[in-house]
Amino acid sequence: MYNVGYLSNTTEYQQVVKLCRRSTVNVCTHEHFAYFRILARAIHALCRIGDELYVEPEPARLSFRAVSTSKSAYASFTFSESFFSYYNYEQTKSQEEDITCKVSMKSCMAVFRSPSHLYKQVESCQIRLEPDGVKLIFEFHCHHGIIKTHYLPIIECETLEAVYSKDMVPNQLVVQPKLLTFALMNFQANTMELTLVVTPQKMQLRNYAEDENEMKKTVRTELCLEPGEFDHYSISVDTSITFSLREFRALLMFAEAFNLPIGANFEIGGKPVVFVVNNAPIFESNFVFSTLTPLSNNQLNTSQQSDENAQCTSRVMKGTAFKKCDMAHTPSKRKVSPVHAGKSSIDSSVAVPGPSRSHTGLQEHHYQDIIENVNKLLPRFSIQEDCVKENGSAEDAENSAEEDALPGTPPPPPAKRARYIFKRCFQATFNSQMLPGYDEVIAEDSDDESSKRT
Amino acid sequence: MKFRGKIAESACMRQFANIIVTLARLSKLCVVRFTKDFIYFIIVEENVTVGKPMVWSVLEQTHFFNEYSMTGVSEDQNEIYLEFETDVMAKSLSSLRVSHGAKSVKMKLTNKKSPCLTFEIQLSELSHSRFCVHDIPVSVIPRKEWTALQEPVVPNYDVSIQLPGLKLIRTVAERMKSLSSHIVLLANHEGALILKVETPEATVSTHFKNLIMENSGGDEENTEEFFSARIDIRKFVQFLTSEQVNPSKVVCNIVDDKMVAMFLINEDIIMHYFLPAVAA
């Protein structure tokens, strides 16, 4: 079914088979260059989302994922077996769980950098994860028999998983990318965020800025689209969602390159929006963006900050998850905060204590509501680690239990938040003489005391 | 103060947008002056010649607008002066430059948190109509500053010569840009024009002959005598990009050693561009 048809020479075939036996994952994109282009553009889109590329092979599919540093945007491309001309996935006995790895996005971009060369020269691409798990290998098979092999060092072995709801949301649309590109042309190039205001009768696109003063000075653009322009338009809950345009443009570029319709699934402002671009069954991509929570007094603000909530602990194994589990070093604990529906930004919350008492009261109340709602359908971006230990499964269960028990801790009232933000002001003045060993001289002055410069 | 206008012809919409794009290339800020019959775009270069406009362009509103109504600051001064950001407006009106991009555009002076020039564009599409609204913040210029924005006094030019073709001149001038930061324009009454760049190593000049003279009147004594002015090359090239407005003719006027004034003339717009001469 999935043969190594691209090789004609028998000795090469044998060589590949040997490789297959040694490595645990070995896939190759279909001969037709279009497939390689899809992969290359997927990587390009992911590089505009996050700084690290998560590669996750599974028995019947291969996923590439990325998340932004602020955890407000997440993207995942999943290629099924049918995308590849051969798909070889072997799980060696020592591993109980899937092999995943994480590479630096910079290295990926170095590999996929020059589109003109890539699209013209490369015929197919072989992706391999070696058994020792130190490198991710991209082998480009180009014209004239040239083979370019790129070795990307693996940073760590971790999974990136987001929990989000795609199908059970009340608002779903499908739209052609050309329409959105055309719509965005009317907005200034430096627009950072886009607001979609939806009702069953129409959709409004607006640019948005957090600061009201800023909005006064910039041009405000509003564009209306009718339901008839969409391939599918089903709005059950009137709402307005605001998300970052930068990552959205990455998704739009990808969809437009292949003329694929974009699906949007969302509920209300404050909850994440999921964009889907797929060409079932060969691949599917999901882009999850957090949206800003609109306040009823028209002052848009963020929902609770992620650092105030419970933190999900996870363990990290450096690099060599593919080895057998009798490794000497102990895993290190690392705290990762889960992502929530709102963007977390400290500076916008400082704006909150400004207004009068009545406003703060309203916001507090609003926060309570948000937490209760958000806990139900959060995208929880949890970093789960591979555990190679025998008691791995038990610890994993403990981990997920901790995650599920995300407490509905109400955010501290503004006064307390101010204390948190300005906490250094409340601490004792730093005095270097308070540090232990301050009088211990490790290296004497080279110059004499007497010959000090005036 | 009130202003309301509507442009419904696609050629007019395109030309209007082209004018804004051209202005955007010349300066970031521009003043628009609305009167009953005319619209003026004025760009003032503050640091070069105080209070003297660098660009002065006039449009006859009837050539553009299907509907036009305005009420100025007062009865005897029935005019409105606004300052706006050109690049922002150019981007907002970009849909007007695409063929079949828009059906009509309404322009209004509004007050949405601050004074704005609101453009309501009806984007055309076969079966669906889409509206796009842009609120561009503007600042209203008070009456006391109006004197600085008056029509510049046109001096007696020594020579007025028609340029052969903006594209051609632009190609030549752009090449010369890499050689020096100033260019010398010379023209005489015989229809000869020279673009000259001088560097310590070389002098490069391009000669045009048999150009049409504008009636500058006066003496025909010394028709071979050249009148010249040395101007900033970047500003000169910036002006040359205004070929987008599709002028029917461009006239170059030189006052010897003092200034160059470029007049871009079209049936619906006249654009004056003043460049002071810079000493060598």
Side-chain angles (χ1 to χ4, degrees):
Chain A
M1 283 175 285
Y2 303 100
N3 51 9
V4 287
Y6 76 108
L7 293 172
S8 52
N9 192 318
T10 33
T11 48
E12 285 172 319
Y13 174 77
Q14 284 168 4
Q15 202 174 22
V16 167
V17 167
K18 279 189 209 155
L19 285 171
C20 288
R21 285 204 204 107
R22 274 214 303 268
S23 37
T24 34
V25 175
N26 185 356
V27 309
C28 180
T29 61
H30 199 274
E31 284 150 48
H32 197 280
F33 61 82
Y35 287 73
F36 174 72
R37 276 191 204 181
I38 296 173
L39 176 71
R41 282 201 187 265
I43 305 283
H44 279 238
L46 287 167
C47 91
R48 293 173 71 169
I49 304 283
D51 293 330
E52 288 161 343
L53 182 73
Y54 291 79
V55 182
E56 203 169 310
E58 285 171 87
R61 56 189 190 172
L62 176 63
S63 299
F64 295 94
R65 303 200 170 118
V67 68
S68 68
T69 40
S70 58
K71 306 259 189 333
S72 61
Y74 159 93
S76 152
F77 281 81
T78 303
F79 298 94
S80 77
E81 258 188 301
S82 47
F83 182 81
F84 299 97
S85 71
Y86 67 79
Y87 192 96
N88 185 0
Y89 176 86
E90 277 171 35
Q91 192 152 25
T92 55
K93 283 177 232 151
S94 59
Q95 294 139 268
E96 289 149 3
E97 291 162 25
D98 296 331
I99 322 141
T100 66
C101 71
K102 178 170 90 163
V103 296
S104 136
M105 199 58 87
K106 258 194 192 168
S107 343
C108 278
M109 280 324 290
V111 173
F112 286 91
R113 195 203 317 273
S114 48
S116 53
H117 160 77
L118 280 182
Y119 298 152
K120 284 185 198 151
Q121 299 288 323
V122 182
E123 287 169 354
S124 70
C125 159
Q126 194 186 68
I127 307 170
R128 290 206 301 277
L129 271 177
E130 296 276 277
D132 61 356
V134 171
K135 301 240 188 278
L136 175 68
I137 301 168
F138 284 96
E139 198 175 271
F140 289 167
H141 295 257
C142 311
H143 292 324
H144 315 300
I146 297 171
I147 299 182
K148 278 180 82 165
T149 313
H150 301 267
Y151 297 87
L152 277 71
I154 293 172
I155 302 172
E156 282 173 292
C157 294
E158 15 175 274
T159 329
L160 176 67
E161 214 180 283
V163 176
Y164 52 87
S165 175
K166 205 166 53 177
D167 299 313
M168 302 301 292
V169 286
N171 298 327
Q172 299 190 358
L173 339 144
V174 178
V175 63
Q176 289 297 323
K178 275 207 173 66
L179 177 64
L180 291 177
T181 310
F182 153 82
L184 286 183
M185 237 180 51
N186 289 283
F187 290 82
Q188 300 294 318
N190 58 359
T191 310
M192 299 296 289
E193 279 129 352
L194 187 69
T195 301
L196 301 182
V197 183
V198 290
T199 66
Q201 291 79 37
K202 66 171 185 207
M203 171 193 276
Q204 282 179 344
L205 288 84
R206 283 190 204 149
N207 64 331
Y208 164 85
E210 266 177 24
D211 188 11
E212 222 188 83
N213 284 333
E214 207 185 301
M215 277 307 266
K216 265 194 213 169
K217 288 184 246 166
T218 51
V219 58
R220 277 98 61 189
T221 304
E222 184 181 297
L223 176 69
C224 287
L225 294 173
E226 287 179 358
E229 310 224 45
F230 295 80
D231 291 1
H232 173 77
Y233 190 87
S234 144
I235 301 290
S236 317
V237 176
D238 289 7
T239 183
S240 104
I241 53 171
T242 303
F243 50 87
S244 161
L245 203 48
R246 183 176 165 265
E247 284 97 10
F248 182 73
R249 285 196 213 264
L251 134 78
L252 191 55
M253 236 170 54
F254 177 81
E256 217 188 349
F258 304 106
N259 224 2
L260 292 168
I262 300 174
N265 305 302
F266 53 99
E267 190 179 338
I268 55 167
K271 298 205 181 172
V273 51
V274 182
F275 291 102
V276 180
V277 181
N278 63 8
N279 194 355
I282 55 170
F283 78 87
E284 174 172 326
S285 71
N286 286 357
F287 288 76
V288 186
F289 300 143
S290 61
T291 64
L292 293 184
T293 313
L295 281 187
S296 50
N297 62 355
N298 249 7
Q299 222 179 4
L300 297 193
N301 205 334
T302 61
S303 63
Q304 74 279 14
Q305 296 145 24
S306 57
D307 52 3
E308 289 169 38
N309 288 291
Q311 317 215 314
C312 156
T313 59
S314 48
R315 287 147 296 136
V316 175
M317 285 282 242
K318 303 272 176 211
T320 52
F322 298 98
K323 275 202 182 135
K324 301 202 173 166
C325 52
D326 41 278
M327 287 168 41
H329 66 260
T330 47
S332 52
K333 277 211 174 200
R334 201 181 67 153
K335 286 195 174 176
V336 170
S337 45
V339 178
H340 294 276
K343 267 198 250 190
S344 56
S345 59
I346 301 267
D347 44 356
S348 54
S349 70
V350 173
V352 170
S356 59
R357 274 305 291 167
S358 56
H359 279 182
T360 42
L362 179 66
Q363 282 153 11
E364 275 186 31
H365 172 74
H366 198 69
Y367 282 144
Q368 295 278 14
D369 284 344
I370 294 165
I371 295 149
E372 279 150 24
N373 291 332
V374 152
N375 270 340
K376 291 176 201 158
L377 281 176
L378 278 181
R380 277 167 291 151
F381 297 159
S382 51
I383 313 281
Q384 289 171 347
E385 311 320 322
D386 291 338
C387 176
V388 188
K389 291 194 169 171
E390 266 114 32
N391 58 348
S393 47
E395 286 185 35
D396 264 355
E398 188 186 70
N399 248 5
S400 42
E402 269 185 336
E403 278 171 51
D404 289 341
L406 277 170
T409 317
K416 266 200 187 163
R417 199 178 301 117
R419 282 194 143 242
Y420 171 79
I421 292 159
F422 296 107
K423 64 183 170 198
R424 297 290 297 255
C425 303
F426 296 99
Q427 288 169 355
T429 311
F430 175 73
N431 185 355
S432 62
Q433 296 187 338
M434 280 161 51
L435 289 175
Y438 79 95
D439 49 356
E440 184 190 327
V441 178
I442 297 169
E444 295 244 336
D445 280 339
S446 312
D447 285 331
D448 255 3
E449 286 294 315
S450 54
S451 61
K452 263 194 198 162
R453 269 176 285 167
T454 42
Chain B
M1 268 197 301
K2 271 194 284 195
F3 171 73
R4 195 186 166 284
K6 177 174 170 183
I7 309 177
E9 307 275 329
S10 63
C12 301
M13 285 191 283
R14 198 166 348 156
Q15 183 72 324
F16 190 81
N18 279 337
I19 293 166
I20 304 291
V21 165
T22 308
L23 293 170
R25 293 221 183 95
L26 298 173
S27 170
K28 196 150 187 303
L29 291 171
C30 179
V31 171
V32 60
R33 170 184 168 198
F34 294 104
T35 66
K36 196 160 112 12
D37 300 311
F38 297 98
I39 300 176
Y40 303 82
F41 289 104
I42 308 158
I43 296 177
V44 178
E45 182 94 331
E46 290 290 337
N47 47 2
V48 176
T49 38
V50 178
K52 229 171 152 188
M54 187 174 85
V55 175
W56 171 273
S57 44
V58 189
L59 291 80
E60 218 178 319
Q61 60 93 344
T62 46
H63 277 181
F64 289 86
F65 290 85
N66 295 54
E67 296 164 21
Y68 185 94
S69 77
M70 65 148 289
T71 315
V73 286
S74 67
E75 287 245 0
D76 52 336
Q77 286 177 303
N78 195 17
E79 301 182 351
I80 303 173
Y81 282 73
L82 304 169
E83 191 179 46
F84 64 94
E85 275 179 34
T86 48
D87 50 353
V88 160
M89 192 181 280
K91 181 72 176 152
S92 301
L93 298 181
S94 57
S95 52
L96 300 184
R97 297 172 70 204
V98 178
S99 61
H100 305 298
K103 264 199 211 139
S104 70
V105 57
K106 275 191 214 158
M107 230 164 102
K108 285 194 278 202
L109 184 61
T110 57
N111 195 347
K112 301 186 181 181
K113 297 178 191 171
S114 65
C116 290
L117 209 48
T118 298
F119 289 87
E120 282 171 27
I121 305 176
Q122 190 177 9
L123 298 160
S124 65
E125 187 49 43
L126 305 161
S127 49
H128 307 284
S129 70
R130 311 164 181 150
F131 275 94
C132 187
V133 179
H134 301 273
D135 294 315
I136 301 176
V138 294
S139 48
V140 180
I141 298 185
R143 265 173 281 186
K144 59 180 190 250
E145 289 175 33
W146 289 12
T147 46
L149 302 164
Q150 290 314 302
E151 185 159 359
V153 173
V154 173
N156 277 331
Y157 296 109
D158 292 324
V159 60
S160 302
I161 191 168
Q162 241 186 71
L163 292 185
L166 273 191
K167 207 163 183 174
L168 179 58
I169 304 273
R170 187 160 67 99
T171 324
V172 171
E174 269 183 1
R175 293 278 182 280
M176 290 179 164
K177 217 165 59 161
S178 54
L179 291 172
S180 166
S181 53
H182 292 91
I183 189 173
V184 183
L185 292 187
L186 303 105
N188 68 9
H189 284 281
E190 283 188 348
L193 172 74
I194 305 176
L195 300 173
K196 187 163 75 166
V197 176
E198 283 165 332
T199 68
E201 293 87 16
T203 301
V204 181
S205 58
T206 304
H207 299 242
F208 298 90
K209 285 196 282 210
N210 298 325
L211 300 176
I212 305 167
M213 298 303 298
E214 289 289 301
N215 285 340
S216 48
D219 46 45
E220 300 286 327
E221 293 168 359
N222 205 350
T223 55
E224 283 181 10
E225 185 190 349
F226 275 97
F227 300 95
S228 68
R230 189 167 176 267
I231 53 176
D232 184 308
I233 200 171
R234 255 177 305 133
K235 294 207 178 104
F236 181 60
V237 171
Q238 267 174 357
F239 169 76
L240 295 173
T241 59
S242 52
E243 62 179 280
Q244 294 203 313
V245 174
N246 207 8
S248 47
K249 69 177 175 180
V250 183
V251 179
C252 174
N253 309 280
I254 303 176
V255 178
D256 194 49
D257 235 3
K258 287 245 165 22
M259 73 184 233
V260 171
M262 315 285 291
F263 292 173
L264 195 146
I265 296 160
N266 200 344
E267 56 174 42
D268 35 11
I269 178 175
I270 301 174
M271 208 184 256
H272 302 252
Y273 193 54
F274 301 98
L275 287 165
V278 179

